[in-house]
Amino acid sequence: QTSVADRAPESPVPRPAPVPARPFTLASKIVFVAYLLLVFVCVWHHEAWRDEADTWLLARDATVPEILHRMGYAGSPATWHLLLAPLAKNGVPYFSQALLNYALISAAVGLLLWQSPFSLLTRTLIVFSYFFSYEYAVIARPYSLLVLVLFLLAWRFPHRYRHPVQHGFL
């Protein structure tokens, strides 16, 4: 017996069969490690831009209600600032912002390499593209968080009716 949450609503359009994930092969692991090393070297040598430092200073100096109030002027959701706030307020070095960004994009790239249905060549080209190798990974902005959440949504989408709370959280 299935519950209502286990069944999708009836649709006149037939659904495509789910695409199975590719295994995390040795080649995928090599691509992942090469990506991690390349990006870490770039992160290590990156000098912060003013907007990166501004985000850190806002997270360090403002209270949570002030952060939420200023998001209308920030151009990005408050989640990034709220993730930075515990680090900045507890005196952790500024470089931790870059490490947090590095961790988020590494998780997104791992999910892409592990769960996407694309060929290894396509996944490798995506991972080493300008955006994934520099814009999202090295420059500490909320892009890496956005990419991770979008990949998590795509990964969990087939299970949205069985786990609606998880889907709604994402």
Side-chain angles (χ1 to χ4, degrees), residues 28-50:
S28 296
K29 291 177 185 176
I30 291 170
V31 169
F32 187 61
V33 169
Y35 175 82
L36 292 178
L37 292 173
L38 171 76
V39 169
F40 187 77
V41 168
C42 293
V43 166
W44 185 261
H45 293 288
H46 175 68
E47 292 187 29
W49 295 8
R50 188 187 72 87

Side-chain angles (χ1 to χ4, degrees), residues 63-133:
T63 63
V64 171
E66 288 173 338
I67 290 173
L68 296 175
H69 176 72
R70 293 184 185 187
M71 286 304 99
Y73 308 107
S76 64
T79 312
W80 176 244
H81 294 78
L82 296 175
L83 285 174
L84 291 175
L87 301 173
K89 290 185 185 309
N90 288 311
V92 178
Y94 175 73
F95 187 67
S96 63
Q97 177 180 1
L99 292 179
L100 174 63
N101 190 62
Y102 176 72
L104 292 171
I105 198 64
S106 297
V109 165
L111 194 58
L112 174 73
L113 290 171
W114 176 43
Q115 286 294 320
S116 79
F118 307 122
S119 69
L120 179 62
L121 176 63
T122 303
R123 290 180 284 160
T124 304
L125 291 174
I126 292 170
V127 164
F128 288 105
S129 69
Y130 165 76
F131 286 101
F132 277 83
S133 294

